[in-house]
């Protein structure tokens, strides 16, 4: 079984760009999931998001009491500010990744973004995806972000990129926290295969048929 794809986005800025783009292409076509490092979101900021989120759930139910914990207004205000900033950073990363997918697919930059209108705990595993009939653990890796392509991208790429079945299982060796963010299409968006990819596939089929015919004639 191949190792779960972990991609260092920083390598896109150097001599290893082509190899890194190939890693992304392989992950999209054969896994439907991948994990990114050096993604531009500071580790210190991710630590703050994790701390605030854990603190929220830890204090949401006061110990030894049946009363809901009432957070201080200042804490709530800071939490909202940080999570709003986190959402914006994830949206920016999602759009950058979509443009990388466009580059690999041969689509114009911004196509996938137009067609549309994705952290976990670093200590405890639990997220799994179905790969070649087997459940594969997504390895917990601190300050990384897991990317799940989803159904819409499988449709837009006409099946070239995969949306795979996944699940979360309970663990006995500790607590696990996930912070999910979704880059979803607009409510009025119509999702369909990119015409450029359909035409490309038709050209490849015609070329294959021509080659086969030549082989039969000769």
């Amino acid at each position: 079984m191949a190792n779960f794809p972990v991609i260092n986005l920083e390598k896109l800025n150097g001599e290893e760009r082509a190899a890194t783009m190939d890693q992304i292409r392989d992950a999209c076509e054969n896994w439907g999931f991948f994990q990114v490092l050096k993604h531009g979101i500071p580790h210190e900021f991710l630590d703050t998001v994790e701390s605030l989120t854990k603190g929220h759930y830890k204090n949401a139910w006061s110990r030894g009491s049946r009363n809901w914990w009432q957070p201080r207004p200042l804490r709530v205000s800071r939490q909202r500010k940080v999570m709003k900033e986190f959402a914006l950073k994830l949206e920016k990363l999602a759009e950058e990744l979509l443009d990388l997918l466009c580059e690999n697919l041969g689509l114009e930059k911004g196509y996938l973004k137009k067609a549309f209108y994705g952290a976990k705990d670093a200590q405890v595993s639990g997220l799994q995806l179905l790969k070649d009939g087997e459940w594969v653990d997504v390895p917990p890796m601190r300050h990384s972000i897991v990317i799940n392509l989803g159904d819409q991208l499988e449709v837009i790429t006409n099946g070239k990129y995969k949306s795979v079945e996944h699940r979360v299982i309970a663990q006995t060796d500790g607590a696990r926290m996930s912070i999910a963010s979704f880059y979803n299409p607009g409510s009025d968006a119509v999702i369909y295969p990119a015409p450029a990819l359909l035409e490309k596939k038709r050209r490849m089929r015609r070329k294959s048929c021509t080659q086969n015919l030549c082989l039969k004639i000769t």
Side-chain angles (χ1 to χ4, degrees):
M1 175 66 67
N3 292 329
F4 184 84
V6 179
I7 299 169
N8 182 348
L9 296 183
E10 200 171 54
K11 293 183 178 181
L12 289 168
N13 301 319
E15 296 178 353
E16 297 182 69
R17 177 180 175 81
T20 304
M21 291 297 288
D22 283 341
Q23 282 184 302
I24 295 173
R25 180 187 298 107
D26 179 73
C28 291
E29 293 181 0
N30 297 305
W31 289 83
F33 267 81
F34 56 97
Q35 198 160 201
V36 293
L37 300 172
K38 304 291 184 180
H39 39 64
I41 303 179
H43 291 179
E44 296 80 6
F45 182 77
L46 291 176
D47 288 338
T48 299
V49 171
E50 178 182 355
S51 176
L52 287 173
T53 304
K54 284 183 175 178
H56 173 78
Y57 285 104
K58 181 178 180 180
N59 294 310
W61 187 264
S62 59
R63 293 183 178 179
S65 171
R66 305 301 293 180
N67 298 318
W68 286 105
W69 172 77
Q70 295 297 322
R72 296 178 180 177
L74 185 61
R75 179 190 290 268
V76 172
S77 177
R78 179 169 181 259
Q79 190 173 35
R80 285 176 178 172
K81 180 180 179 181
V82 170
M83 297 310 291
K84 183 177 181 180
E85 184 179 355
F86 184 46
L88 290 173
K89 289 181 182 296
L90 287 179
E91 182 179 8
K92 180 176 182 291
L93 175 61
E95 291 174 354
E96 291 172 353
L97 288 170
L98 287 176
D99 279 340
L100 292 174
L101 302 191
C102 283
E103 185 177 338
N104 267 341
L105 290 164
L107 296 172
E108 62 176 309
K109 184 177 181 180
Y111 180 90
L112 292 175
K113 180 182 176 181
K114 292 176 183 177
F116 268 61
Y117 191 97
K120 57 180 179 43
D121 194 284
Q123 307 300 322
V124 181
S125 62
L127 177 61
Q128 295 183 329
L129 61 98
L130 193 61
K131 169 70 172 170
D132 299 329
E134 297 182 11
W135 287 104
V136 179
D137 290 321
V138 176
M141 190 172 296
R142 189 158 187 80
H143 297 134
S144 70
I145 294 175
V146 176
I147 312 300
N148 172 17
L149 297 183
D151 296 341
Q152 288 88 359
L153 278 174
E154 179 169 331
V155 173
I156 294 173
T157 63
N158 197 34
K160 187 174 181 65
Y161 288 176
K162 305 304 179 188
S163 173
V164 299
E165 185 177 349
H166 55 284
R167 68 184 184 184
V168 176
I169 59 174
Q171 300 285 16
T172 59
D173 57 349
R176 178 182 183 275
M177 179 187 71
S178 292
I179 304 173
S181 179
F182 297 90
Y183 191 90
N184 290 325
S187 59
D188 58 346
V190 179
I191 303 300
Y192 54 88
L197 296 181
L198 291 176
E199 179 58 30
K200 183 178 180 180
K201 192 169 185 178
R202 281 194 288 266
R203 288 199 302 269
M204 292 178 64
R205 284 177 176 172
R206 287 199 295 268
K207 183 179 179 181
S208 176
C209 289
T210 302
Q211 290 173 340
N212 290 336
L213 180 61
C214 291
L215 287 172
K216 290 178 181 178
I217 292 175
T218 57

